[in-house]
Amino acid sequence: MDHDHEGQRVSRRRLLTGVSSVGLAALVTACAGKSPVTTSTGETVALQAVTDADLTALFTGARTCTLTAATTQGPYYFDADKIRSDVREDKQGAKLRLALQVQDSETCKPIPHAVVEIWHCDAGGLYSGAEAASGGGGTPPTGPPPTGTPPTRTPPPGGDADLEPTDDKRFLRGAQVTDQRGIVEFTTIWPGWYRGRTVHVHVMVHVGNEKTLTTQLMFDEALNSEVLATQPYAQRTGRDTFNDNDSIYQPSMLLKVTKARDGYVGCIVLNADPDHDGV
């Protein structure tokens, strides 16, 4: 889906424009009761995710019904107040459509009306709202490490405190509401890299009024190499952390990625535990 096609989906695009004025906190509350949302303009809109029916087939074999591994939210999360499917803004990079299905880890049934947020760095390793703070990790080394030098394994900054944004940019951040099949879709770019971490996308799932699941999505290294060899990614060299030496990576976090005519499509099933009993 390109920008033009997004614009042609008038009713759903208007829905997202209206809901974005509500803010994530209000949206999560509304989703808990599965009720419509009234926007600041007085328009009542139903909660419905933007997705394509034909994406369902991509989930076959993407995950089994086991509880998805949780991670800390990291240092760059905040409520970006952006309810939208296309999070690219003006960021350049390989087009990536993410199709995520949320289901209950005990019943394996889809969870509708859940809010799913994603956020990740741009091709240069920078996070919106925190360009100055993330610049230290995203600054490219002056060259590749000397031959025989093992890659540095730097534990990523973690924690669950929300970031106080230091700039007004909101690229590569957004939220969607799952449909009756538990599916959301985002259009973004392939993430870049920064020191101490492999290529990844952050995901947070809200069910009811709670942050039910916080995890990360990752990519096969052969595909990372393929994408990072293209522009604008190739401007930076000296990547030091890959899946096999990343402190958070687990094989279960790998997206199932399919090449598309205009980029890539990645999908995964996220198994959440709304009752928090660890199953």
Side-chain angles (χ1 to χ4, degrees):
M1 285 183 296
D2 54 28
H3 289 286
D4 291 335
H5 289 162
E6 282 282 317
Q8 290 168 6
R9 294 211 307 255
V10 178
S11 60
R12 289 187 178 180
R13 197 59 178 166
R14 184 181 298 125
L15 178 155
L16 295 177
T17 302
V19 173
S20 66
S21 64
V22 177
L24 182 61
L27 180 62
V28 171
T29 301
C31 287
K34 300 177 181 160
S35 59
V37 169
T38 301
T39 72
S40 58
T41 62
E43 180 183 9
T44 299
V45 293
L47 299 177
Q48 183 178 14
V50 176
T51 186
D52 294 328
D54 62 0
L55 289 173
T56 303
L58 293 174
F59 291 106
T60 303
R63 279 295 307 272
T64 57
C65 188
T66 56
L67 185 62
T68 295
T71 70
T72 62
Q73 67 186 34
Y76 303 124
Y77 170 77
F78 61 93
D79 177 358
D81 193 16
K82 293 290 184 181
I83 311 301
R84 57 185 181 174
S85 61
D86 192 328
V87 302
R88 292 174 293 178
E89 297 189 6
D90 61 348
K91 287 298 173 179
Q92 300 299 305
K95 183 177 180 181
L96 174 66
R97 289 172 62 192
L98 289 175
L100 315 178
Q101 184 175 41
V102 181
Q103 62 184 28
D104 190 296
S105 61
E106 294 183 58
T107 66
C108 294
K109 294 181 178 179
I111 301 179
H113 308 296
V115 175
V116 180
E117 291 183 87
I118 67 166
W119 67 102
H120 63 83
C121 70
D122 66 7
L126 303 181
Y127 283 86
S128 62
E131 289 198 47
S134 60
T139 302
T142 56
T147 302
T149 301
T152 303
R153 181 168 181 161
T154 305
D160 289 306
D162 291 2
L163 171 77
E164 186 68 33
T166 55
D167 59 67
D168 60 1
K169 296 181 179 179
R170 299 295 181 266
F171 56 80
L172 306 179
R173 295 180 184 270
Q176 283 283 278
V177 184
T178 58
D179 64 11
Q180 291 300 316
R181 295 170 299 162
I183 296 174
V184 293
E185 181 193 341
F186 294 93
T187 301
T188 185
I189 63 168
W190 200 279
W193 60 272
Y194 50 96
R195 292 185 183 184
R197 286 305 319 278
T198 192
V199 178
H200 63 281
V201 174
H202 294 269
V203 179
M204 184 180 290
V205 178
H206 305 255
V207 178
N209 294 312
E210 297 186 358
K211 296 178 179 178
T212 301
L213 173 66
T214 303
T215 190
Q216 295 181 26
L217 310 179
M218 299 178 192
F219 307 84
D220 182 89
E221 281 295 358
L223 290 173
N224 280 332
S225 296
E226 177 180 292
V227 173
L228 297 180
T230 65
Q231 294 298 338
Y233 307 94
Q235 298 175 28
R236 306 174 68 237
T237 59
R239 183 180 169 213
D240 68 342
T241 308
F242 302 80
N243 290 348
D244 62 1
N245 68 321
D246 183 80
S247 60
I248 290 178
Y249 169 80
Q250 295 186 35
S252 62
M253 296 175 177
L254 282 173
L255 284 155
K256 178 183 177 182
V257 177
T258 303
K259 289 187 179 181
R261 181 175 55 187
D262 59 348
Y264 300 85
V265 176
C267 69
I268 197 167
V269 175
L270 301 173
N271 293 291
D273 181 24
D275 57 11
H276 299 288
D277 63 0
V279 179

